[in-house]
Amino acid sequence: MRKIIKSTGLGLVFLLVFSLAAVLAQGKLEDYERAIGLRDKFESLAVNVPERAAWIEKTPRFWYRKTVRGGQEFVLVDAEKGTRGPAFDHDRLAVALNKETGEKFTGITLPFRSINFVENEKFLEFEYRDSVWRCELATYALKKTGPARQRQRDGWQDVGGPPAQAASAESKPSPDKKWEAFIRNYNVWIRAVSSKEEFPLSWDGNEGNYYTYQSLLWAPDSKKLLAVRIRPGLHRRIQYVDSSPADQLQPKYFSLGYTKPGDPLDLPQPVLFQVEGRKQVNVDNALFPNPYDLGNFAWRQDSRAFTFEYNQRGHQVYRVIEVDGTTGAARAVISEECATFFCYSSKKYRYDLADGREIIWMSERDGWNHLYLYDGETGQVKNQITKGEWVVRSVEKVDEERRQVWFLGSGMYPGKDPYFLHLYRVNLDGTGLEALTEVDANHVVSLSADLKYYVDLYSRVDLAPVMQLRRSEDKKVIMELEKADISELKKAGWRTPEVFVAKGRDGQTDIWGIIIRPTNFNARRKYPVIEYIYAGPHSSFVPKSFFAWNQMMSLAELGFIVVQVDGMGTSNRSKAFHDVCWKNLKDAGFPDRILWHRAVAARYPYYDLSRVGIYGTSAGGQNALAGLLFHPEFYKVGFAAAGCHDNRMDKIWWNEQWMGWPLGPEYEASSNTVNAYRLKGKLLLVIPELDTNVDPATSYQVVNALIKAGKDFELLVVPGANHGSGGVYGDRKRNDFFVRHLLGVEPPDWNRLEKKLPEPRPSFMPRTPGDE
């Protein structure tokens, strides 16, 4: 009886505590309304927030876009004259556009974010409604000039050369205009322009080993011709069913070229032809026997040789190869060989000087991403241009006359954020390294064509943007362009994201992340924690620049603390930091992330590690599910959208880069599909029906594995959707899922709700990392 009474008493205590928690918990309709309205509210209150400056060709003028109360404004600056003003008459352009479209734009709500000055700045071009519009600035007469340029979209993922073409419809003229090269019967032919005589240069082309018109490349002296012969590999296609097309009742069907890890690839072979002797010179492929890709074919200006780049299958060897224009002898000018991977997708840089007699090359061979100067004739390193325990992030400009290179780097200052970008210049002999940005912040820089000036736009997540025009000679600020005003933003309850640093798995390496709290944060409460994850090894992802709003803020507003972390295995740190991902994508930096979370919880008692959720899309979708499968003791609730859940099912270029080739057991070890039986937490999977980035079948295979393992989970398939997290509906499902399983609160009954939640208005804010 005593035990029963004690148990009943504890039960009453638990019931009271849970009931009190439910009363205090958020996740109510008013919280959803506040969360949805947060973007419009915050972004409208951050004014004079500029975007990166764009220089107008080789002039001393540039333009940029900035926020103003209620919209945006375009600004034009003349660096030499020291003038600054509107880039055009915004009101006149709005009137002209309204007349053409029937819309009701104002000068500050024009529906485009980018402009282009053309024909000596007499005209202004912009894109609207899938068309390019041209405005004559003298009269503000407006007309369409053609279709908008194609946006970069997820789509064709087929790796390899063009398909076989028996004959080309066009020909390529030689530089001296005496010859025309073309393809006939899969072979290379040329035609004398004067006599129209035609004759073949090759005889070995056929349907299964053909020459391509696209590869034909004349030497500058018109005496030699380069062509590439291709032996085709497997060109896989994946099939799609568009179940709910907008223009008809019945489904539509289409397929997409999509090469996957392990697929046999095309085998390209460069061939040299001597025109006068009609001679074919075969190039020995000993230096490029197993290409993932051969690319960047180019003749030396004096026609002595041509060069190309060889990316070996598996990405552990990358070479710059030069082929003698007379003998066809090949030599490796640069040979980069790595024990893990050469990050060709984001850390490959080459710049040829003096017709290739010197070459600037980027490499991580000393453990950090740096620049080297090569002797192009001997293939030897003349000197290392940059060095130290920091990284070169990008080369902005090479000044051949002064023998200097301008670059963005990060991590040079101990104790500071190692991801902050700063602008530097250095002499090609490695001397004279000079920083051109000083403020402890993330710098977005635009250089004038003549390098006389640069525009420095700097900010942090906790520092509003400042934009300055500087003179390169002495770094002097010659014009204060913008200083963002966020005073009203702060009054409205905007909370500065907190930058938090903790030690990683080795006890030495700093792991950086940010913490976002709701606007009504109360330190006396306990908050569930949600991690937004994207651990793709191709970059780093925690925002470093200012943002008035980020999608994590709206999620936090429902009653969570939301964080983002860059763990080991992501890029922009040391090579050792990056190599953690090698053949081990399931790692995703989780040992570092979990330690980071625990360090936050040790500092803040309200940070509740008994209720941790995780969400992500694409590689982040793979990571989110991996968190539940491989670390169920820590991550309890997950939302995984459009995930590449088995790296054998995803596009080849991204996956073989990190997981290696040939395929091995490490692919199965990292597979969410193979490890689906491990699921213990709550999972919501999202599959965009028409995902052309990640094959939707990989998510369906996870579903199949979960069903076979008898696991409970939720599934959202979004008809007609391409790569993403399901749009507004997917976001709501994600929010409801976390509210239900982390807050212990039933979300609003949307089917019975009469009040429609507001749709967000168009945003004029500069894009920031983390926005979806």
Side-chain angles (χ1 to χ4, degrees):
M1 180 65 69
R2 189 175 180 183
K3 289 182 179 179
I4 294 174
I5 293 173
K6 185 175 181 180
S7 176
T8 303
L10 287 174
L12 284 170
V13 171
F14 177 81
L15 182 62
L16 288 171
V17 170
F18 186 83
S19 299
L20 181 61
V23 171
L24 293 175
Q26 292 183 241
K28 303 181 181 68
L29 179 59
E30 55 265 32
D31 300 312
Y32 278 85
E33 291 175 332
R34 193 172 62 255
I36 290 173
L38 207 61
R39 179 175 189 167
D40 290 344
K41 177 181 178 181
F42 281 173
E43 292 191 342
S44 67
L45 297 176
V47 297
N48 298 329
V49 178
E51 217 163 37
R52 179 177 181 166
W55 291 86
I56 302 173
E57 296 180 334
K58 295 183 179 181
T59 74
R61 291 176 295 281
F62 61 89
W63 66 268
Y64 63 90
R65 191 180 66 88
K66 70 169 186 173
T67 61
V68 296
R69 187 62 56 86
Q72 63 179 353
E73 180 180 274
F74 293 84
V75 180
L76 182 66
V77 178
D78 191 309
E80 288 189 353
K81 295 179 180 178
T83 58
R84 173 184 174 277
F88 53 88
D89 189 324
H90 293 61
D91 292 332
R92 286 187 70 183
L93 182 50
V95 170
L97 188 58
N98 290 342
K99 182 179 178 180
E100 294 290 332
T101 64
E103 298 291 346
K104 296 181 179 179
F105 300 116
T106 68
I108 61 173
T109 62
L110 290 166
F112 48 85
R113 301 168 64 94
S114 180
I115 59 176
N116 185 31
F117 289 98
V118 296
E119 295 190 23
N120 296 320
E121 301 169 60
K122 293 178 181 178
F123 295 88
L124 181 76
E125 289 186 343
F126 60 90
E127 293 184 8
Y128 173 60
R129 285 184 176 174
D130 299 323
S131 295
V132 175
W133 296 72
R134 175 173 286 200
C135 175
E136 185 178 7
L137 293 175
T139 64
Y140 280 80
L142 195 61
K143 68 176 182 180
K144 295 181 183 179
T145 60
R149 63 186 184 277
Q150 281 292 103
R151 299 288 195 274
Q152 182 68 35
R153 302 173 68 181
D154 295 324
W156 201 261
Q157 302 287 354
D158 191 20
V159 172
Q165 184 182 29
S168 59
E170 299 176 330
S171 59
K172 291 190 177 181
S174 61
D176 64 7
K177 308 301 181 185
K178 293 181 179 180
W179 302 98
E180 293 176 335
F182 58 97
I183 300 297
R184 177 178 292 169
N185 191 30
Y186 307 102
N187 280 288
V188 178
W189 284 63
I190 61 172
R191 177 189 305 118
V193 173
S194 59
S195 66
K196 305 301 181 183
E197 180 189 5
E198 298 177 345
F199 53 84
L201 290 181
S202 74
W203 296 88
D204 53 352
N206 54 58
E207 296 91 331
N209 200 20
Y210 53 88
Y211 289 90
T212 68
Y213 174 77
Q214 293 86 342
S215 70
L216 298 176
L217 188 63
W218 283 99
D221 65 5
S222 300
K223 296 179 180 179
K224 296 175 278 288
L225 179 67
L226 163 66
V228 175
R229 189 178 63 239
I230 292 178
R231 190 180 71 200
L234 170 68
H235 287 257
R236 181 188 300 277
R237 302 186 71 83
I238 55 178
Q239 310 297 321
Y240 291 86
V241 178
D242 184 356
S243 67
S244 310
D247 59 348
Q248 68 181 48
L249 175 64
Q250 296 300 326
K252 291 182 177 180
Y253 310 91
F254 66 94
S255 64
L256 180 73
Y258 199 106
T259 309
K260 296 187 177 185
D263 284 355
L265 298 181
D266 290 357
L267 183 62
Q269 172 65 47
V271 180
L272 173 66
F273 296 99
Q274 306 284 357
V275 174
E276 291 182 355
R278 303 185 186 185
K279 181 181 179 183
Q280 175 175 329
V281 181
N282 294 314
V283 181
D284 187 351
N285 73 344
L287 289 172
F288 50 97
N290 184 24
Y292 168 80
D293 180 57
L294 299 184
N296 295 327
F297 287 90
W299 280 95
R300 295 303 188 194
Q301 295 171 13
D302 62 5
S303 301
R304 70 184 187 276
F306 66 85
T307 62
F308 62 92
E309 295 179 12
Y310 166 62
N311 185 358
Q312 184 164 292
R313 188 87 185 259
H315 311 296
Q316 292 177 284
V317 176
Y318 198 101
R319 293 187 176 120
V320 177
I321 293 175
E322 184 178 87
V323 177
D324 186 277
T326 302
T327 67
R331 69 183 182 96
V333 181
I334 297 173
S335 186
E336 195 76 34
E337 302 184 19
C338 307
T340 54
F341 58 87
F342 176 69
C343 191
Y344 76 96
S345 59
S346 58
K347 295 180 183 177
K348 198 275 295 184
Y349 179 82
R350 169 190 162 200
Y351 187 94
D352 289 5
L353 295 155
D355 200 19
R357 289 175 174 82
E358 288 183 313
I359 302 173
I360 300 171
W361 181 253
M362 185 180 285
S363 171
E364 292 183 286
R365 64 187 59 176
D366 73 349
W368 302 84
N369 199 42
H370 282 299
L371 298 175
Y372 295 78
L373 183 64
Y374 267 82
D375 185 318
E377 296 182 332
T378 67
Q380 299 299 309
V381 175
K382 296 180 73 171
N383 60 266
Q384 188 168 347
I385 301 172
T386 62
K387 64 179 65 177
E389 294 188 355
W390 51 274
V391 296
V392 173
R393 297 279 290 275
S394 66
V395 174
E396 298 298 294
K397 182 79 171 181
V398 174
D399 186 341
E400 295 189 33
E401 182 180 347
R402 295 181 177 85
R403 291 186 64 79
Q404 291 180 328
V405 58
W406 297 58
F407 67 92
L408 293 175
S410 62
M412 194 177 292
Y413 309 110
K416 303 294 185 181
D417 191 322
Y419 296 96
F420 281 166
L421 291 169
H422 286 271
L423 178 66
Y424 302 91
R425 63 184 168 197
V426 64
N427 297 323
L428 292 184
D429 64 4
T431 64
L433 178 64
E434 181 180 15
L436 291 100
T437 52
E438 304 90 9
V439 177
D440 181 26
N442 197 44
H443 295 260
V444 178
V445 180
S446 301
L447 304 174
S448 66
D450 59 7
L451 296 177
K452 283 186 177 181
Y453 307 100
Y454 60 99
V455 181
D456 181 17
L457 169 58
Y458 64 84
S459 69
R460 300 189 302 260
V461 296
D462 57 357
L463 176 69
V466 174
M467 189 183 227
Q468 300 171 326
L469 173 63
R470 292 180 169 229
R471 187 167 54 212
S472 302
E473 183 182 8
D474 54 9
K475 298 183 285 186
K476 181 180 178 181
V477 177
I478 58 178
M479 192 180 297
E480 295 283 356
L481 297 170
E482 301 293 343
K483 186 173 183 179
D485 181 359
I486 61 170
S487 56
E488 293 300 315
L489 183 63
K490 290 181 176 179
K491 290 178 184 177
W494 183 82
R495 301 184 68 91
T496 304
E498 179 184 351
V499 177
F500 193 89
V501 187
K503 296 300 180 185
R505 68 189 79 181
D506 59 2
Q508 298 178 344
T509 304
D510 284 338
I511 303 297
W512 291 72
I514 59 171
I515 303 170
I516 293 177
R517 300 171 176 86
T519 58
N520 59 0
F521 173 74
N522 183 346
R524 291 172 299 202
R525 289 184 49 195
K526 282 272 193 179
Y527 285 87
V529 176
I530 301 176
E531 180 179 348
Y532 173 47
I533 189 168
Y534 190 96
H538 53 280
S539 190
S540 53
F541 305 96
V542 175
K544 297 299 171 183
S545 296
F546 175 85
F547 53 86
W549 176 88
N550 179 293
Q551 47 88 14
M552 291 184 283
M553 289 178 164
S554 292
L555 180 56
E557 201 66 11
L558 297 177
F560 305 106
I561 290 176
V562 183
V563 305
Q564 190 173 359
V565 187
D566 279 321
M568 291 187 188
T570 51
S571 189
N572 300 324
R573 300 285 289 275
S574 69
K575 177 63 171 162
F577 189 102
H578 201 184
D579 278 350
V580 169
C581 74
W582 174 238
K583 295 188 176 183
N584 190 23
L585 283 182
K586 77 174 188 297
D587 180 278
F590 280 121
D592 313 300
R593 297 169 187 277
I594 292 170
L595 288 171
W596 186 92
H597 282 288
R598 287 175 176 160
V600 177
R603 180 177 297 182
Y604 301 122
Y606 52 77
Y607 197 86
D608 188 356
L609 291 188
S610 69
R611 295 179 291 166
V612 179
I614 186 169
Y615 75 104
T617 300
S618 194
Q622 177 185 14
N623 303 146
L625 179 51
L628 295 183
L629 299 180
F630 300 112
H631 302 276
E633 78 291 345
F634 191 80
Y635 296 101
K636 302 298 194 297
V637 183
F639 172 93
C644 39
H645 296 294
D646 188 310
N647 298 104
R648 296 168 294 185
M649 288 291 293
D650 195 25
K651 52 199 164 291
I652 186 174
W653 74 265
W654 196 88
N655 294 272
E656 283 193 6
Q657 168 95 91
W658 323 117
M659 292 296 290
W661 180 91
L663 275 60
E666 58 274 0
Y667 277 84
E668 283 209 348
S670 285
S671 169
N672 289 344
T673 306
V674 172
N675 290 282
Y677 71 91
R678 300 177 184 272
L679 181 66
K680 294 182 180 179
K682 303 294 184 180
L683 169 65
L684 171 55
L685 278 172
V686 177
I687 306 177
E689 180 184 58
L690 303 181
D691 192 338
T692 57
N693 184 318
V694 174
D695 184 351
T698 185
S699 290
Y700 285 115
Q701 290 176 1
V702 169
V703 170
N704 184 48
L706 290 169
I707 291 172
K708 287 184 175 180
K711 298 295 181 178
D712 287 330
F713 63 99
E714 293 189 25
L715 173 65
L716 171 63
V717 178
V718 187
N722 206 324
H723 195 61
S725 57
V728 173
Y729 186 79
D731 289 346
R732 196 188 80 191
K733 293 290 287 184
R734 177 199 66 204
N735 295 347
D736 289 353
F737 197 68
F738 286 133
V739 164
R740 182 177 293 114
H741 295 295
L742 290 179
L743 289 178
V745 172
E746 193 61 27
D749 185 344
W750 304 105
N751 291 348
R752 302 186 62 180
L753 190 66
E754 295 182 1
K755 182 178 180 182
K756 186 177 179 181
L757 296 180
E759 293 287 337
R761 295 191 296 267
S763 171
F764 296 106
M765 286 293 291
R767 295 288 183 232
T768 58
D771 275 4
E772 290 185 335

